[in-house]
Amino acid sequence: MGRIRVLSDQVANQIAAGEVVDRPASVVKELLENSLDAGANRIRIEVEAGGRKLIRISDDGHGMNRDDALLAFERHATSKLRTADELLSIATLGFRGEALPSIASVARVSLDTATGDEPSGTHLEIAGGKIHHVDDAALPRGTTISVSDLFFNTPARRKFLRAESTELSHVTALVTHYALAHPEKHFELLSASHSLVSAPPVSRPAERIYQIFGKDTLAQLLPVAAETQLDRSGLPEPPPWKRDPDEPPRIPGSFRLSGFYSKPELQKLNRNSIYIFVNKRLIRDRLLLHAISEAYRNIIPPTSYPVVLLFLEMPPEEVDVNVHPAKTEVRFRQQSLIHDFVRDSLRNALIAARPVAGFKAALESSPAATPSLIPVPGSRLPGSPDQSSAEDTPDQPPSAAAEPFRLTSKPLTPVPGKLPFGERDVAVHFEQESLRQAAAALMEPPLPAHLSCSSDALDTLPPPSEAAAQIEAEQAATTLNRLGSLRPMGQLRDSFILAAGEDGLWIIDQHVAHERVLFEKILRDRRVEHVQRQRLLMPLLVELKPWQMVIFAQIADELERNGFEVEPFGPQTLAVKAAPVGLEGASLERMLHEVIEQSTEASNEPSLNEDLTALRTRIAASLACHSAIKINTPLDPKRMEWLLLELAKTEHPTSCPHGRPIALLYSWKDIQRAFHRI
Ligand code: ADP
Ligand code: MG
């Protein structure tokens, strides 16, 4: 007798459920997507016990007639796809026809649905994959699906469920994501009749961010929008998954990008605050995450992540959504074009905006304040497979080793987490505000109370559109463009330049300001091979460990192009004969050690995907750091003026190559407020 058997539908569905439904949040995801696909404008989600006991979703979409309602629970039954060709241009969120049968195989499900065109609607009950009850029912147009006792018949699965609060935070994060992608729709989330999300329709994404995360978060974000025409000439061959000789010519279209990105001072320890939507579908994509990191390169430290909400729109045939059962991953046809488009749009926006750190923000983003923002697991995408991989585990606070820059520049900089001027007063003054901000801390799956738009805190605020507009106006005003016209008044402890400007009082960290100026100059000079070197009177001898000699050999060429003349001098010693102008003695030796140390780390870190640009940037950052004016150095007015003028000319006058703020603004408005003049 043969050994092979065909699995029953029930078993096949449970296997599919293993991929699609792994926790309450993934049920919510599938049902929400169905409601959106049905054209719903209002979606209400109720959960009990974090969704383990009950998940109920009601929508006002187009509903189903009786036949469809019965069919919907069959495996591979879908109204969204007919032929494999259509897969290439799928515009709906679902298409696999797997979700409902999968969910019904591992829970008790009841469905109430009506199209509004027929005399009656349909009520249906199904448990463990078996239909128990079908009936006509008088119902308004739309669909309500209730899923109770998730995994009641699969105890092994049930064991993997986490605490109710954890599951609830995942559900909350998920609903939040979809609400952000669809500001024009009404979303409500209730847990045991307690409102967690209440987001009535609004006309602009900024208003939705305000509804969901509050005013403080919105104030930390800047808008970005860009568009690029698809260049179809000279495109690489489409990948095999789309190569089809009968394929009709592709419709020309464009890539559009819109969204919000954080100012450099807002830094996160992981990527959980980066949201990427492709054609309104929330996805996790390494390529785009990389593009975002690239945009922020040398604006924030390599171990930190920004907050980004990115909405990409493109013709459906440009993106393959059929890559992962939970549809959280996609594949782009023109990978590098999209990567570069995202990187450049964000980078340009950052350069153009030149956002300035205010006192509050700088205090909050200092390393000491960051732990209060440590994420709850909720903002993870359910079903996303790459969460545990090496590249995606920066959840721990960055180790000292991962931040070589900070370590070596420590003696020159203020103690981390403390601002060197009147810090107590400022901190006390803003304490309550900062606590509120930290708690509302955006994108970390917000605490239920803060999510609710009906909470007391938000009741007292102006309506979203007004507040959002006001914040946007303030964002536009506060840029560093006027740095060049600042009037330096003196130094604070020979370390910080105080300057008066139209917008208020500026405090500029002289070391990091100079560092930024030098960093950009070094990169520029290197690009045009115009590096100035100076010959040392006596060669400087530098001792290295054997493995460091190996690393040195790898980077020797690039060092030479940066103005160094270094030769091996015995098996473990280098002789430095010439160096870039402005760097000598102990600083020179420290700089060399630092670059070799960092290159060793980079070579140990395979995921870093080290390239020449990264090495060049590292050398430039290190050179800049060690050649820049130190703190505790008196400066005459001419030099201060020169420094401010040079800083104003840089691309990123707001943060040093390691991500620390360069200039803080005590705004005229805040000064007036503090003196009770307004
Ligand atoms: P898919 O979404 O991949 O088509 P599902 O199993 O999620 O597969 O749903 C099966 C079908 O049931 C859908 O194609 C759709 O026609 C119908 N359906 C599911 N949910 C709804 C809803 N909320 N409103 C209207 N129709 C729905
Ligand atoms: Mg579906």
Side-chain angles (χ1 to χ4, degrees):
M1 204 172 103
R3 293 159 183 270
I4 299 177
R5 253 165 305 180
V6 174
L7 296 177
S8 74
D9 273 357
Q10 168 64 3
V11 177
N13 283 335
Q14 283 198 4
I15 291 172
E19 288 176 322
V20 182
V21 182
D22 64 347
R23 64 187 334 158
S26 43
V27 175
V28 174
K29 175 179 188 289
E30 293 297 335
L31 299 181
L32 250 182
E33 290 191 346
N34 281 345
S35 295
L36 290 168
D37 282 345
N41 285 314
R42 184 168 187 152
I43 302 174
R44 179 188 165 96
I45 302 122
E46 293 161 76
V47 294
E48 275 175 36
R52 302 168 63 149
K53 206 163 144 211
L54 176 75
I55 298 166
R56 179 181 296 133
I57 302 202
S58 315
D59 68 50
D60 61 354
H62 58 53
M64 290 176 264
N65 65 23
R66 189 181 176 121
D67 290 347
D68 279 354
L70 287 166
L71 252 185
F73 289 92
E74 294 288 324
R75 203 159 147 68
H76 303 307
T78 178
S79 56
K80 302 169 193 174
L81 189 73
R82 277 161 217 277
T83 65
D85 285 353
E86 286 174 19
L87 250 190
L88 305 182
S89 54
I90 196 87
T92 49
L93 294 165
F95 52 83
R96 300 172 64 102
E98 263 178 350
L100 289 185
S102 299
I103 295 167
S105 72
V106 293
R108 301 179 216 278
V109 175
S110 85
L111 167 76
D112 288 285
T113 185
T115 59
D117 312 331
E118 278 146 56
S120 78
T122 307
H123 172 78
L124 190 151
E125 281 171 24
I126 179 166
K130 287 203 182 64
I131 295 185
H132 289 292
H133 189 80
V134 195
D135 227 344
D136 287 350
L139 295 163
R141 183 187 123 117
T143 303
T144 297
I145 298 189
S146 307
V147 178
S148 20
D149 302 332
L150 185 61
F151 302 135
F152 78 97
N153 54 351
T154 49
R157 273 266 150 188
R158 204 167 51 228
K159 282 207 193 95
F160 280 99
L161 289 178
R162 302 288 200 76
E164 279 176 21
S165 58
T166 309
E167 296 302 340
L168 181 60
S169 78
H170 284 263
V171 170
T172 311
L174 194 113
V175 174
T176 308
H177 298 162
Y178 279 88
L180 286 168
H182 299 270
E184 74 292 355
K185 308 211 157 172
H186 191 152
F187 287 83
E188 280 174 290
L189 170 64
L190 295 107
S191 170
S193 57
H194 185 86
S195 166
L196 297 183
V197 177
S198 164
V202 284
S203 54
R204 291 179 313 143
E207 294 169 43
R208 182 49 55 96
I209 291 179
Y210 175 92
Q211 284 178 326
I212 301 275
F213 299 121
K215 171 166 145 278
D216 297 332
T217 297
L218 182 58
Q220 305 253 42
L221 300 177
L222 292 165
V224 57
E227 183 161 9
T228 185
Q229 214 55 41
L230 288 175
D231 176 13
R232 280 158 191 280
S233 59
L235 282 179
E237 272 288 289
W241 52 270
K242 275 197 176 164
R243 206 170 291 140
D244 176 356
D246 305 324
E247 194 178 284
R250 292 195 183 82
I251 318 144
S254 64
F255 290 130
R256 242 172 308 143
L257 172 159
S258 64
F260 295 84
Y261 64 96
S262 54
K263 301 176 182 177
E265 75 250 21
L266 183 65
Q267 294 170 15
K268 299 283 170 177
L269 295 175
N270 55 47
R271 296 168 167 148
N272 291 350
S273 303
I274 299 179
Y275 298 75
I276 305 168
F277 299 85
V278 172
N279 293 343
K280 305 224 168 195
R281 182 192 299 277
L282 180 71
I283 58 145
R284 204 84 214 168
D285 185 73
R286 273 163 195 277
L287 179 83
L288 295 181
L289 285 172
H290 183 262
I292 293 170
S293 299
E294 284 287 291
Y296 275 86
R297 191 200 274 250
N298 295 120
I299 297 177
I300 64 174
T303 44
S304 298
Y305 299 88
V307 174
V308 176
L309 275 99
L310 207 61
F311 301 100
L312 285 164
E313 300 290 332
M314 60 190 73
E317 63 275 4
E318 287 295 325
V319 51
D320 186 359
V321 290
N322 187 25
V323 180
H324 183 261
K327 297 162 288 176
T328 49
E329 283 174 47
V330 296
R331 203 177 294 141
F332 299 107
R333 198 173 68 85
Q334 304 184 52
Q335 300 221 14
S336 58
L337 195 141
I338 298 208
H339 174 274
D340 295 358
F341 171 56
V342 168
R343 181 196 59 200
D344 297 346
S345 310
L346 264 188
R347 185 97 188 163
N348 291 341
L350 271 163
I351 290 175
R354 301 184 152 203
V356 182
F359 282 108
K360 294 186 274 183
L363 278 169
E364 270 151 27
S365 66
S366 66
T370 314
S372 66
L373 305 179
I374 277 179
V376 202
S379 56
R380 291 270 157 108
L381 265 180
S384 174
D386 64 4
Q387 297 293 358
S388 56
S389 66
E391 228 203 286
D392 253 54
T393 47
D395 287 18
Q396 306 87 20
S399 69
E403 271 184 299
F405 291 123
R406 269 207 194 144
L407 256 191
T408 46
S409 50
K410 218 176 209 159
L412 312 175
T413 53
V415 184
K418 285 200 179 159
L419 284 175
F421 43 85
E423 79 258 31
R424 287 230 341 263
D425 300 349
V426 181
V428 170
H429 181 72
F430 288 119
E431 190 173 53
Q432 264 202 318
E433 177 72 1
S434 68
L435 277 179
R436 216 166 77 80
Q437 280 199 0
L442 358 132
M443 327 291 189
E444 322 294 6
L447 302 171
H450 290 91
L451 248 188
S452 161
C453 284
S454 55
S455 79
D456 296 345
L458 290 179
D459 274 349
T460 56
L461 294 172
S465 54
E466 211 177 288
Q470 188 189 335
I471 288 166
E472 279 171 64
E474 278 175 22
Q475 283 166 343
T478 320
T479 74
L480 256 179
N481 286 330
R482 283 188 293 272
L483 245 192
S485 61
L486 294 188
R487 195 160 40 83
M489 301 183 297
Q491 271 172 302
L492 198 62
R493 301 202 179 186
D494 290 342
S495 303
F496 298 89
I497 299 172
L498 297 177
E502 261 307 293
D503 342 28
L505 173 69
W506 293 80
I507 302 183
I508 295 119
D509 182 324
Q510 64 193 41
H511 170 69
V512 291
H514 194 210
E515 197 178 354
R516 167 54 74 183
V517 170
L518 289 175
F519 173 71
E520 294 193 10
K521 178 179 181 323
I522 293 165
L523 281 181
R524 232 179 6 251
D525 289 351
R526 168 69 190 84
R527 214 173 299 136
V528 295
E529 309 261 352
H530 186 75
V531 176
Q532 285 181 308
R533 67 166 68 183
Q534 67 189 11
R535 203 142 266 292
L536 304 184
L537 287 175
M538 288 271 290
L540 175 77
L541 298 184
V542 180
E543 295 275 323
L544 291 185
K545 314 239 163 36
W547 66 88
Q548 292 179 320
M549 288 300 272
V550 178
I551 296 289
F552 170 74
Q554 287 166 9
I555 63 172
D557 189 44
E558 187 53 36
L559 281 174
E560 198 186 318
R561 286 158 180 273
N562 270 288
F564 285 92
E565 193 183 319
V566 185
E567 284 169 8
F569 185 81
Q572 283 182 45
T573 310
L574 298 176
V576 186
K577 295 186 166 168
V581 171
L583 191 65
E584 43 204 26
S587 296
L588 171 56
E589 187 170 351
R590 270 205 300 271
M591 182 267 160
L592 270 178
H593 271 293
E594 182 178 278
V595 167
I596 290 171
E597 198 52 47
Q598 288 162 4
S599 301
T600 314
E601 275 160 25
S603 66
N604 287 339
E605 179 62 82
S607 70
L608 260 180
N609 202 0
E610 175 78 347
D611 56 16
L612 196 60
T613 329
L615 172 63
R616 237 174 238 182
T617 315
R618 259 202 335 263
I619 291 177
S622 187
L623 273 173
C625 179
H626 291 282
S627 324
I629 303 167
K630 312 270 185 279
I631 62 163
N632 294 317
T633 309
L635 298 178
D636 58 40
K638 278 263 153 300
R639 286 190 84 193
M640 288 192 258
E641 217 166 283
W642 171 85
L643 184 56
L644 296 187
L645 277 174
E646 288 301 305
L647 181 62
K649 287 189 222 154
T650 59
E651 278 191 351
H652 290 289
T654 51
S655 62
C656 84
H658 317 130
R660 288 195 302 267
I662 292 177
L664 300 179
L665 170 65
Y666 196 178
S667 77
W668 177 231
K669 209 167 170 188
D670 284 345
I671 293 173
Q672 283 178 300
R673 246 184 234 137
F675 283 111
H676 298 261
R677 288 197 169 269
I678 49 171

